[in-house]
Amino acid sequence: MTASAVTHLVQPGAAATAEAARILAAGGLVAFPTETVYGLGADATNGTAVARIYEAKGRPAFNPLISHVTDLGAARALARFDADAARLAGAFWPGPLTLVLPKAESCPVSELATAGLDTIAVRMPHHPAAQALLAAFGRPVVAPSANRSGHVSPTTAAHVAADLSGRVDLIIDGGAAPVGVESTIIACLDEVSLLRPGGVPREEIERVLGRPLAETAAGIAVEDTPLAPGMLASHYAPRTRMRLNARSVEAGEALLAFGPAPVQDAQKAVKILNLSARGDLIEAAANLFSYLRALDAAKADVIAVMPLPPDGLGEAINDRLQRAAAPR
Ligand code: TXA
Ligand code: MG
């Protein structure tokens, strides 16, 4: 399913919830209210649906997304909770708190949604329309704020429509978002740190923890803020050296291909994966991180990468490839 040219705006309720869950299951996009801001939701386990989010937002880069869940059991299927994380979830969920945690072993969320990281951002919203949708859908829903890249986060359905009409299949109009700022993001990794101030004040979090939060960890992507080169370490990058815009393959190289055209000397490749044989950038985005991992595991001398067009999702794919290829 592609986003329809005309976006339907519906009032929350059983019919809207059922239609929204149907659209999500078919790989479509649904904008829905949360207590913080409106989210642009997709099935977190469907890489193609996740790719459509980046396309709809016009994001020039793949920032990791928050997975929204309906209860603690669903959260634990995605992420590993230590004692601090469990305490924070117990105190603030459902509510405007996002936890960045180590990914669970069998986490079903697409690699694109976590931008290839070993960590995952998880949140349990308390807005009734969001809860109803998550419960009806039964799988995690990734949802960035439902605005075009570079615009402010939407707190009404009209804001969403102004930015995304025709790019999203359905908007659930739940009125004004009560909190009006995004969720607070806390990482519970080696230390507990504040990654983004938001709906839950720092002081309340520190009171529950019983100690001050560490300073913001380096290397965290804040939406639409390009990462400084020194911050690349926290992003997934293959160990194998990469060669971009490859038009031929050298002996000992692995090949990340794109499109139907054969590349010269392809038979020399130790392994070939094609991001999209039909040249579809949405399919390519969905495959990007898992293919990079798979080629990295092939232990080639170099991963040669065929050129990808710069338009549409190509901008974000090329951005990611350039970061992965940057000298370290
Ligand atoms: O209130 C909110 O959190 C809203 C509603 C819709 O839930 N969502 C939201 O999503 O603000 P978004 O995509 O606009 O912002 C998510 C932020 C981004 O800055 C992203 O870099 C960060 O979360 N993030 C996601 N996963 C991360 C991870 N594994 N490590 C570090 N940062 C992460
Ligand atoms: Mg945002």
Side-chain angles (χ1 to χ4, degrees):
M1 179 191 292
T2 53
S4 47
V6 179
T7 297
H8 297 285
L9 221 128
V10 295
Q11 298 300 305
T17 299
E19 188 186 353
R22 217 165 29 238
I23 290 169
L24 291 177
L29 302 183
V30 173
F32 62 97
T34 82
E35 64 276 18
T36 57
V37 299
Y38 276 69
L40 177 61
D43 179 353
T45 67
N46 178 340
T48 307
V50 176
R52 290 200 180 109
I53 287 183
Y54 295 98
E55 187 186 55
K57 283 185 65 98
R59 267 193 183 178
F62 296 125
N63 286 331
L65 303 175
I66 300 171
S67 290
H68 296 70
V69 295
T70 171
D71 57 37
L72 206 53
R76 287 183 183 279
L78 308 186
R80 294 204 306 274
F81 285 69
D82 65 8
D84 288 325
R87 197 171 302 130
L88 292 176
F92 298 108
W93 279 1
L97 175 73
T98 294
L99 295 174
V100 171
L101 305 170
K103 234 191 220 181
E105 202 64 58
S106 56
C107 175
V109 171
S110 95
E111 289 253 19
L112 181 60
T114 54
L117 296 169
D118 296 324
T119 58
I120 184 166
V122 187
R123 157 161 140 75
M124 188 195 302
H126 75 49
H127 193 289
Q131 286 204 342
L133 177 58
L134 292 168
F137 182 52
R139 285 203 286 272
V141 171
V142 277
S145 49
N147 51 280
R148 292 276 288 170
S149 184
H151 293 189
V152 295
S153 293
T155 55
T156 67
H159 295 165
V160 178
D163 260 24
L164 295 177
S165 196
R167 297 175 161 268
V168 51
D169 298 294
L170 184 75
I171 301 173
I172 300 176
D173 182 358
V179 175
V181 296
E182 296 91 341
S183 61
T184 302
I185 305 183
I186 299 288
C188 296
L189 300 170
D190 291 339
E191 51 186 17
V192 184
S193 54
L194 177 70
L195 304 189
R196 178 177 74 182
V200 180
R202 165 201 282 267
E203 294 75 9
E204 282 189 31
I205 292 166
E206 294 182 332
R207 189 150 41 73
V208 167
L209 279 177
R211 63 179 195 278
L213 288 164
E215 282 319 303
T216 303
I220 293 311
V222 173
E223 188 188 353
D224 303 333
T225 306
L227 288 174
M231 298 174 113
L232 280 172
S234 74
H235 265 225
Y236 172 73
R239 262 183 288 269
T240 313
R241 200 155 52 80
M242 293 175 56
R243 184 166 70 82
L244 303 186
N245 298 314
R247 295 176 193 279
S248 63
V249 177
E250 309 286 332
E253 288 186 334
L255 177 68
L256 187 63
F258 176 78
V263 71
Q264 203 186 318
D265 293 333
Q267 78 284 356
K268 290 184 179 168
V270 299
K271 187 178 174 96
I272 302 177
L273 289 175
N274 197 327
L275 288 169
S276 172
R278 58 195 159 96
D280 179 303
L281 287 166
I282 291 179
E283 184 181 36
N287 289 330
L288 179 64
F289 289 101
S290 54
Y291 283 14
L292 280 176
R293 269 182 203 272
L295 291 182
D296 203 16
K299 302 245 184 305
D301 300 334
V302 167
I303 299 172
V305 183
M306 284 175 69
L308 280 96
D311 40 49
L313 275 182
E315 185 181 5
I317 296 171
N318 281 303
D319 168 84
R320 201 65 202 78
L321 288 169
Q322 271 147 24
R323 288 173 194 277
R328 289 185 292 279

PDB file of all heavy atoms in Angstrom, residues 3-4 7 31 39-40 53 55-58 145-149 154 158-169 171:
ATOM      1  N   ALA A   3       0.908   5.584   0.408  1.00  0.00           N
ATOM      2  CA  ALA A   3       0.076   6.625   1.003  1.00  0.00           C
ATOM      3  C   ALA A   3      -0.879   7.157  -0.055  1.00  0.00           C
ATOM      4  O   ALA A   3      -0.504   7.423  -1.185  1.00  0.00           O
ATOM      5  CB  ALA A   3       0.955   7.749   1.540  1.00  0.00           C
ATOM      6  N   SER A   4      -2.129   7.277   0.317  1.00  0.00           N
ATOM      7  CA  SER A   4      -3.122   7.707  -0.656  1.00  0.00           C
ATOM      8  C   SER A   4      -2.979   9.195  -0.928  1.00  0.00           C
ATOM      9  O   SER A   4      -2.458   9.948  -0.120  1.00  0.00           O
ATOM     10  CB  SER A   4      -4.513   7.409  -0.108  1.00  0.00           C
ATOM     11  OG  SER A   4      -4.607   7.853   1.216  1.00  0.00           O
ATOM     12  N   THR A   7      -5.837  12.119   2.247  1.00  0.00           N
ATOM     13  CA  THR A   7      -5.710  11.553   3.578  1.00  0.00           C
ATOM     14  C   THR A   7      -7.017  11.708   4.325  1.00  0.00           C
ATOM     15  O   THR A   7      -7.590  12.794   4.376  1.00  0.00           O
ATOM     16  CB  THR A   7      -4.581  12.262   4.350  1.00  0.00           C
ATOM     17  OG1 THR A   7      -3.355  12.017   3.674  1.00  0.00           O
ATOM     18  CG2 THR A   7      -4.488  11.763   5.766  1.00  0.00           C
ATOM     19  N   ALA A  31      -1.260   8.470  11.243  1.00  0.00           N
ATOM     20  CA  ALA A  31      -0.911   9.488  12.235  1.00  0.00           C
ATOM     21  C   ALA A  31      -1.916   9.397  13.370  1.00  0.00           C
ATOM     22  O   ALA A  31      -3.122   9.331  13.133  1.00  0.00           O
ATOM     23  CB  ALA A  31      -0.918  10.873  11.610  1.00  0.00           C
ATOM     24  N   GLY A  39       2.061  11.243  16.489  1.00  0.00           N
ATOM     25  CA  GLY A  39       3.075  10.363  15.930  1.00  0.00           C
ATOM     26  C   GLY A  39       2.683   9.900  14.541  1.00  0.00           C
ATOM     27  O   GLY A  39       1.496   9.813  14.206  1.00  0.00           O
ATOM     28  N   LEU A  40       3.693   9.625  13.709  1.00  0.00           N
ATOM     29  CA  LEU A  40       3.474   9.051  12.383  1.00  0.00           C
ATOM     30  C   LEU A  40       3.839   7.577  12.481  1.00  0.00           C
ATOM     31  O   LEU A  40       5.012   7.222  12.515  1.00  0.00           O
ATOM     32  CB  LEU A  40       4.346   9.763  11.342  1.00  0.00           C
ATOM     33  CG  LEU A  40       4.270   9.227   9.913  1.00  0.00           C
ATOM     34  CD1 LEU A  40       2.862   9.340   9.357  1.00  0.00           C
ATOM     35  CD2 LEU A  40       5.257   9.974   9.023  1.00  0.00           C
ATOM     36  N   ILE A  53       8.010   5.800   6.375  1.00  0.00           N
ATOM     37  CA  ILE A  53       8.006   6.919   7.332  1.00  0.00           C
ATOM     38  C   ILE A  53       9.053   7.955   6.938  1.00  0.00           C
ATOM     39  O   ILE A  53       8.776   9.155   6.883  1.00  0.00           O
ATOM     40  CB  ILE A  53       8.292   6.418   8.772  1.00  0.00           C
ATOM     41  CG1 ILE A  53       7.084   5.680   9.336  1.00  0.00           C
ATOM     42  CG2 ILE A  53       8.670   7.594   9.669  1.00  0.00           C
ATOM     43  CD1 ILE A  53       7.285   5.234  10.786  1.00  0.00           C
ATOM     44  N   GLU A  55      10.396   8.406   4.094  1.00  0.00           N
ATOM     45  CA  GLU A  55      10.029   9.038   2.834  1.00  0.00           C
ATOM     46  C   GLU A  55       8.960  10.112   3.064  1.00  0.00           C
ATOM     47  O   GLU A  55       9.051  11.225   2.545  1.00  0.00           O
ATOM     48  CB  GLU A  55       9.525   7.997   1.848  1.00  0.00           C
ATOM     49  CG  GLU A  55       9.292   8.593   0.478  1.00  0.00           C
ATOM     50  CD  GLU A  55       8.644   7.591  -0.454  1.00  0.00           C
ATOM     51  OE1 GLU A  55       7.582   7.042  -0.118  1.00  0.00           O
ATOM     52  OE2 GLU A  55       9.217   7.379  -1.520  1.00  0.00           O
ATOM     53  N   ALA A  56       7.941   9.775   3.859  1.00  0.00           N
ATOM     54  CA  ALA A  56       6.851  10.727   4.097  1.00  0.00           C
ATOM     55  C   ALA A  56       7.354  11.978   4.816  1.00  0.00           C
ATOM     56  O   ALA A  56       6.914  13.087   4.537  1.00  0.00           O
ATOM     57  CB  ALA A  56       5.747  10.061   4.920  1.00  0.00           C
ATOM     58  N   LYS A  57       8.274  11.789   5.758  1.00  0.00           N
ATOM     59  CA  LYS A  57       8.797  12.933   6.505  1.00  0.00           C
ATOM     60  C   LYS A  57       9.808  13.729   5.702  1.00  0.00           C
ATOM     61  O   LYS A  57      10.122  14.865   6.051  1.00  0.00           O
ATOM     62  CB  LYS A  57       9.465  12.460   7.803  1.00  0.00           C
ATOM     63  CG  LYS A  57       8.484  12.084   8.901  1.00  0.00           C
ATOM     64  CD  LYS A  57       9.203  11.747  10.190  1.00  0.00           C
ATOM     65  CE  LYS A  57       9.932  12.905  10.814  1.00  0.00           C
ATOM     66  NZ  LYS A  57       9.205  13.580  11.901  1.00  0.00           N
ATOM     67  N   GLY A  58      10.363  13.126   4.652  1.00  0.00           N
ATOM     68  CA  GLY A  58      11.414  13.798   3.896  1.00  0.00           C
ATOM     69  C   GLY A  58      12.668  13.953   4.721  1.00  0.00           C
ATOM     70  O   GLY A  58      13.386  14.939   4.621  1.00  0.00           O
ATOM     71  N   SER A 145       7.627  12.008  15.466  1.00  0.00           N
ATOM     72  CA  SER A 145       6.638  13.075  15.423  1.00  0.00           C
ATOM     73  C   SER A 145       6.144  13.229  13.983  1.00  0.00           C
ATOM     74  O   SER A 145       6.909  13.079  13.031  1.00  0.00           O
ATOM     75  CB  SER A 145       7.246  14.371  15.951  1.00  0.00           C
ATOM     76  OG  SER A 145       8.494  14.629  15.336  1.00  0.00           O
ATOM     77  N   ALA A 146       4.844  13.507  13.836  1.00  0.00           N
ATOM     78  CA  ALA A 146       4.194  13.458  12.515  1.00  0.00           C
ATOM     79  C   ALA A 146       4.326  14.779  11.772  1.00  0.00           C
ATOM     80  O   ALA A 146       3.331  15.369  11.342  1.00  0.00           O
ATOM     81  CB  ALA A 146       2.729  13.058  12.669  1.00  0.00           C
ATOM     82  N   ASN A 147       5.563  15.248  11.629  1.00  0.00           N
ATOM     83  CA  ASN A 147       5.831  16.484  10.894  1.00  0.00           C
ATOM     84  C   ASN A 147       6.813  16.189   9.768  1.00  0.00           C
ATOM     85  O   ASN A 147       7.537  15.190   9.815  1.00  0.00           O
ATOM     86  CB  ASN A 147       6.447  17.533  11.830  1.00  0.00           C
ATOM     87  CG  ASN A 147       7.633  16.987  12.613  1.00  0.00           C
ATOM     88  OD1 ASN A 147       7.441  16.290  13.618  1.00  0.00           O
ATOM     89  ND2 ASN A 147       8.841  17.268  12.149  1.00  0.00           N
ATOM     90  N   ARG A 148       6.834  17.085   8.770  1.00  0.00           N
ATOM     91  CA  ARG A 148       7.889  17.005   7.772  1.00  0.00           C
ATOM     92  C   ARG A 148       9.209  17.330   8.453  1.00  0.00           C
ATOM     93  O   ARG A 148       9.250  18.091   9.421  1.00  0.00           O
ATOM     94  CB  ARG A 148       7.626  18.019   6.642  1.00  0.00           C
ATOM     95  CG  ARG A 148       6.414  17.679   5.810  1.00  0.00           C
ATOM     96  CD  ARG A 148       6.704  16.677   4.714  1.00  0.00           C
ATOM     97  NE  ARG A 148       7.484  17.259   3.623  1.00  0.00           N
ATOM     98  CZ  ARG A 148       8.020  16.531   2.642  1.00  0.00           C
ATOM     99  NH1 ARG A 148       7.868  15.217   2.615  1.00  0.00           N
ATOM    100  NH2 ARG A 148       8.693  17.124   1.684  1.00  0.00           N
ATOM    101  N   SER A 149      10.270  16.743   7.952  1.00  0.00           N
ATOM    102  CA  SER A 149      11.586  16.965   8.531  1.00  0.00           C
ATOM    103  C   SER A 149      11.903  18.453   8.603  1.00  0.00           C
ATOM    104  O   SER A 149      11.672  19.195   7.648  1.00  0.00           O
ATOM    105  CB  SER A 149      12.611  16.266   7.659  1.00  0.00           C
ATOM    106  OG  SER A 149      13.875  16.375   8.221  1.00  0.00           O
ATOM    107  N   PRO A 154       3.903  18.270  15.620  1.00  0.00           N
ATOM    108  CA  PRO A 154       2.486  18.638  15.577  1.00  0.00           C
ATOM    109  C   PRO A 154       1.758  18.275  16.867  1.00  0.00           C
ATOM    110  O   PRO A 154       1.910  17.179  17.384  1.00  0.00           O
ATOM    111  CB  PRO A 154       1.958  17.778  14.430  1.00  0.00           C
ATOM    112  CG  PRO A 154       2.842  16.568  14.444  1.00  0.00           C
ATOM    113  CD  PRO A 154       4.187  17.000  14.957  1.00  0.00           C
ATOM    114  N   ALA A 158      -4.724  19.052  12.724  1.00  0.00           N
ATOM    115  CA  ALA A 158      -4.594  20.034  11.637  1.00  0.00           C
ATOM    116  C   ALA A 158      -3.127  20.278  11.301  1.00  0.00           C
ATOM    117  O   ALA A 158      -2.761  20.424  10.125  1.00  0.00           O
ATOM    118  CB  ALA A 158      -5.265  21.353  12.041  1.00  0.00           C
ATOM    119  N   HIS A 159      -2.258  20.297  12.329  1.00  0.00           N
ATOM    120  CA  HIS A 159      -0.817  20.428  12.061  1.00  0.00           C
ATOM    121  C   HIS A 159      -0.340  19.259  11.214  1.00  0.00           C
ATOM    122  O   HIS A 159       0.450  19.427  10.280  1.00  0.00           O
ATOM    123  CB  HIS A 159       0.000  20.405  13.364  1.00  0.00           C
ATOM    124  CG  HIS A 159      -0.239  21.551  14.291  1.00  0.00           C
ATOM    125  ND1 HIS A 159       0.168  21.534  15.604  1.00  0.00           N
ATOM    126  CD2 HIS A 159      -0.839  22.746  14.095  1.00  0.00           C
ATOM    127  CE1 HIS A 159      -0.177  22.673  16.189  1.00  0.00           C
ATOM    128  NE2 HIS A 159      -0.801  23.417  15.290  1.00  0.00           N
ATOM    129  N   VAL A 160      -0.797  18.062  11.572  1.00  0.00           N
ATOM    130  CA  VAL A 160      -0.367  16.865  10.840  1.00  0.00           C
ATOM    131  C   VAL A 160      -0.823  16.960   9.388  1.00  0.00           C
ATOM    132  O   VAL A 160      -0.034  16.732   8.457  1.00  0.00           O
ATOM    133  CB  VAL A 160      -0.941  15.580  11.470  1.00  0.00           C
ATOM    134  CG1 VAL A 160      -0.514  14.351  10.657  1.00  0.00           C
ATOM    135  CG2 VAL A 160      -0.497  15.432  12.919  1.00  0.00           C
ATOM    136  N   ALA A 161      -2.093  17.338   9.210  1.00  0.00           N
ATOM    137  CA  ALA A 161      -2.638  17.419   7.850  1.00  0.00           C
ATOM    138  C   ALA A 161      -1.876  18.452   7.024  1.00  0.00           C
ATOM    139  O   ALA A 161      -1.592  18.232   5.840  1.00  0.00           O
ATOM    140  CB  ALA A 161      -4.127  17.758   7.904  1.00  0.00           C
ATOM    141  N   ALA A 162      -1.509  19.566   7.660  1.00  0.00           N
ATOM    142  CA  ALA A 162      -0.790  20.617   6.931  1.00  0.00           C
ATOM    143  C   ALA A 162       0.542  20.095   6.412  1.00  0.00           C
ATOM    144  O   ALA A 162       0.975  20.452   5.321  1.00  0.00           O
ATOM    145  CB  ALA A 162      -0.572  21.829   7.840  1.00  0.00           C
ATOM    146  N   ASP A 163       1.195  19.248   7.191  1.00  0.00           N
ATOM    147  CA  ASP A 163       2.519  18.749   6.803  1.00  0.00           C
ATOM    148  C   ASP A 163       2.448  17.494   5.933  1.00  0.00           C
ATOM    149  O   ASP A 163       3.266  17.316   5.042  1.00  0.00           O
ATOM    150  CB  ASP A 163       3.331  18.397   8.066  1.00  0.00           C
ATOM    151  CG  ASP A 163       4.334  19.489   8.434  1.00  0.00           C
ATOM    152  OD1 ASP A 163       4.092  20.646   8.034  1.00  0.00           O
ATOM    153  OD2 ASP A 163       5.327  19.180   9.115  1.00  0.00           O
ATOM    154  N   LEU A 164       1.490  16.610   6.216  1.00  0.00           N
ATOM    155  CA  LEU A 164       1.582  15.248   5.677  1.00  0.00           C
ATOM    156  C   LEU A 164       0.372  14.793   4.872  1.00  0.00           C
ATOM    157  O   LEU A 164       0.305  13.626   4.481  1.00  0.00           O
ATOM    158  CB  LEU A 164       1.811  14.246   6.827  1.00  0.00           C
ATOM    159  CG  LEU A 164       3.144  14.388   7.586  1.00  0.00           C
ATOM    160  CD1 LEU A 164       3.201  13.398   8.739  1.00  0.00           C
ATOM    161  CD2 LEU A 164       4.333  14.180   6.660  1.00  0.00           C
ATOM    162  N   SER A 165      -0.572  15.686   4.610  1.00  0.00           N
ATOM    163  CA  SER A 165      -1.741  15.269   3.848  1.00  0.00           C
ATOM    164  C   SER A 165      -1.303  14.675   2.509  1.00  0.00           C
ATOM    165  O   SER A 165      -0.444  15.235   1.829  1.00  0.00           O
ATOM    166  CB  SER A 165      -2.666  16.470   3.621  1.00  0.00           C
ATOM    167  OG  SER A 165      -3.926  15.987   3.216  1.00  0.00           O
ATOM    168  N   GLY A 166      -1.873  13.533   2.159  1.00  0.00           N
ATOM    169  CA  GLY A 166      -1.486  12.855   0.929  1.00  0.00           C
ATOM    170  C   GLY A 166      -0.275  11.957   1.099  1.00  0.00           C
ATOM    171  O   GLY A 166       0.059  11.183   0.209  1.00  0.00           O
ATOM    172  N   ARG A 167       0.405  12.060   2.249  1.00  0.00           N
ATOM    173  CA  ARG A 167       1.591  11.237   2.492  1.00  0.00           C
ATOM    174  C   ARG A 167       1.332  10.201   3.585  1.00  0.00           C
ATOM    175  O   ARG A 167       2.230   9.445   3.966  1.00  0.00           O
ATOM    176  CB  ARG A 167       2.754  12.119   2.945  1.00  0.00           C
ATOM    177  CG  ARG A 167       3.181  13.103   1.898  1.00  0.00           C
ATOM    178  CD  ARG A 167       4.258  14.034   2.422  1.00  0.00           C
ATOM    179  NE  ARG A 167       4.938  14.635   1.304  1.00  0.00           N
ATOM    180  CZ  ARG A 167       6.038  14.124   0.755  1.00  0.00           C
ATOM    181  NH1 ARG A 167       6.605  13.054   1.254  1.00  0.00           N
ATOM    182  NH2 ARG A 167       6.574  14.700  -0.295  1.00  0.00           N
ATOM    183  N   VAL A 168       0.139  10.227   4.164  1.00  0.00           N
ATOM    184  CA  VAL A 168      -0.218   9.316   5.246  1.00  0.00           C
ATOM    185  C   VAL A 168      -1.614   8.790   4.921  1.00  0.00           C
ATOM    186  O   VAL A 168      -2.415   9.493   4.307  1.00  0.00           O
ATOM    187  CB  VAL A 168      -0.135  10.068   6.605  1.00  0.00           C
ATOM    188  CG1 VAL A 168      -0.897  11.366   6.573  1.00  0.00           C
ATOM    189  CG2 VAL A 168      -0.612   9.222   7.761  1.00  0.00           C
ATOM    190  N   ASP A 169      -1.886   7.524   5.271  1.00  0.00           N
ATOM    191  CA  ASP A 169      -3.150   6.914   4.856  1.00  0.00           C
ATOM    192  C   ASP A 169      -4.324   7.361   5.707  1.00  0.00           C
ATOM    193  O   ASP A 169      -5.460   7.394   5.234  1.00  0.00           O
ATOM    194  CB  ASP A 169      -3.002   5.388   4.905  1.00  0.00           C
ATOM    195  CG  ASP A 169      -1.931   4.920   3.930  1.00  0.00           C
ATOM    196  OD1 ASP A 169      -2.151   5.073   2.717  1.00  0.00           O
ATOM    197  OD2 ASP A 169      -0.874   4.446   4.370  1.00  0.00           O
ATOM    198  N   ILE A 171      -5.397   9.905   9.430  1.00  0.00           N
ATOM    199  CA  ILE A 171      -5.057  10.709  10.614  1.00  0.00           C
ATOM    200  C   ILE A 171      -6.188  10.541  11.619  1.00  0.00           C
ATOM    201  O   ILE A 171      -7.354  10.782  11.294  1.00  0.00           O
ATOM    202  CB  ILE A 171      -4.902  12.210  10.274  1.00  0.00           C
ATOM    203  CG1 ILE A 171      -3.816  12.430   9.216  1.00  0.00           C
ATOM    204  CG2 ILE A 171      -4.582  13.008  11.546  1.00  0.00           C
ATOM    205  CD1 ILE A 171      -3.725  13.882   8.720  1.00  0.00           C
TER     206      ILE A 171
END
